[in-house]
Structure formats: C-alpha cells, structure tokens
Amino acid sequence: MLPFDGFLEKGKCKVMENAQYGWESIESKSVGHKMLSGSQVISTEEEPIMRVTEPLERTLAGKLFLEIKETTSGSAAEDNANDFLTKVTKYFITVIFTIAFITLGFWFIAKYFGFTNFEIGYLFPFERAISVLVASCPCALGTAIPMIYAIALRKALNNGVLVKETASLDDLKTIDTIVFDKTGTITGSYNV
C-alpha cells in the first residue's frame, strides 16, 4: 500500500485504487501518472520509482486518518452536545422557575379569594410549586441529551457510518430522499 501521494518517476505498474473510490478500480500507471496514498500496487512491469509530492498530513490517506481520529475521539461530539445543552438550559431553567412562581401565585390567590371548592392549607401552594420544579428537573435533561448523542454516534460508527458533526444528526429529521452516486459501494456487499 502506498503511504504517500506522488508521481511515478520510473517504471510501469498496475494499481488498485479502491480506497479512493469505494469500488475496485485497477489502473495502469506509467511515468508521470499521479499515485495516491492508500492505493495498492498489484503488479509491476518495470520496477516503479515514485517521487513523493505531499507530506503524510496532506495526503488523501493522511487526511482520512486524521478525520477518523478527530471524529472518533469524542471531543467534537461532546463540544456540540455541551453547546446545545448550554443554550437549552439557559431558557429551560428560566421557564420552569417562571411556571413554578405562577403556580405558587395562582394557588395563593385562589386561597385568598376562595376560588376553590375545597379548603386549601398554607402549604398547598408551596407543594404545587415544588412539584413543578421536581417534575421538570433539568438534571434529567442535562444527562440524557449527551448520552443520546454518544449512543447514536457509537452505533453509527459500529455500522460503518462516520458522523463528523453531531448537528448533522439533528438534520436527519428533515431528509426525505437519499441519493447515492457510487455504484457498487452499497450494492457490492449488501442486498438493496
């Protein structure tokens, strides 16, 4: 397997470039042809000599490796989940406390003006306000969302799907059509 990108400087060979295209593609290469990292030399007519033109970090295989490493490290997923949580929690807590105070005020007014058909004790309004706070505890939301993202990303990775940004998972709900442009990539190993 070729570790670098470059040009064939001398010789002739046949190269399988399935790492770049997703299907088996055997190409004959001679002097001056571009050789891509990740390609596999399967036969040689003359001993090939390649001139390296790109450092490992800028080769196709190097970029793919760095992309996979970055995506699977979890830092991108955690950052996106934390950003989302920060935005949601800021509004969520404000709304919940507002509802709790409205509940407290409503039951105090109902007690004071006698709008109820039953006797209300002084603790009843506080019990209702605390019930609102307990029922909508942001702790449950704060732990559930990152866990859902982590499970979805791990499940996708286990099925061979690399998700670069967790925001793309949120966008899946709007997709109604998927178009594949590589023939054989899916149908080669799966029944479609």
Side-chain angles (χ1 to χ4, degrees), residues 101-117:
F101 281 119
I102 290 171
T103 302
L104 180 70
F106 171 79
W107 285 109
F108 266 124
I109 291 171
K111 176 178 177 36
Y112 182 77
F113 290 108
F115 292 144
T116 62
N117 294 335

Side-chain angles (χ1 to χ4, degrees), residues 95-160:
V95 169
I96 294 307
F97 273 100
T98 303
I99 292 171
F101 281 119
I102 290 171
T103 302
L104 180 70
F106 171 79
W107 285 109
F108 266 124
I109 291 171
K111 176 178 177 36
Y112 182 77
F113 290 108
F115 292 144
T116 62
N117 294 335
F118 55 95
E119 187 63 35
I120 296 176
Y122 284 102
L123 293 179
F124 188 85
F126 289 105
E127 290 171 351
R128 296 304 169 261
I130 290 171
S131 295
V132 169
L133 293 174
V134 170
S136 58
C137 176
C139 299
L141 181 67
T143 57
I145 291 175
M147 191 182 316
I148 290 168
Y149 277 119
I151 291 169
L153 292 174
R154 181 61 53 198
K155 190 138 181 102
L157 188 60
N158 289 342
N159 288 308

Side-chain angles (χ1 to χ4, degrees), residues 16-142:
M16 186 181 300
E17 297 180 333
N18 57 340
Q20 290 80 17
Y21 304 116
W23 64 85
E24 286 189 16
S25 172
I26 299 174
E27 301 286 328
S28 295
K29 302 286 185 174
S30 58
V31 176
H33 280 113
K34 185 164 178 86
M35 307 280 280
L36 298 173
S37 60
S39 299
Q40 184 176 3
V41 178
I42 55 173
S43 69
T44 59
E45 294 175 26
E46 299 174 29
E47 183 179 355
I49 296 177
M50 184 177 113
R51 180 172 14 114
V52 175
T53 58
E54 298 291 339
L56 184 60
E57 303 84 37
R58 292 199 321 229
T59 65
L60 182 64
K63 288 177 186 175
L64 183 61
F65 174 74
L66 290 173
E67 186 76 31
I68 291 170
K69 185 178 177 185
E70 182 182 298
T71 302
T72 58
S73 70
S75 61
E78 291 170 7
D79 289 346
N80 287 341
N82 288 336
D83 290 347
F84 176 76
L85 274 177
T86 303
K87 290 176 186 173
V88 168
T89 305
K90 182 170 66 173
Y91 297 109
F92 184 77
I93 292 173
T94 305
V95 169
I96 294 307
F97 273 100
T98 303
I99 292 171
F101 281 119
I102 290 171
T103 302
L104 180 70
F106 171 79
W107 285 109
F108 266 124
I109 291 171
K111 176 178 177 36
Y112 182 77
F113 290 108
F115 292 144
T116 62
N117 294 335
F118 55 95
E119 187 63 35
I120 296 176
Y122 284 102
L123 293 179
F124 188 85
F126 289 105
E127 290 171 351
R128 296 304 169 261
I130 290 171
S131 295
V132 169
L133 293 174
V134 170
S136 58
C137 176
C139 299
L141 181 67

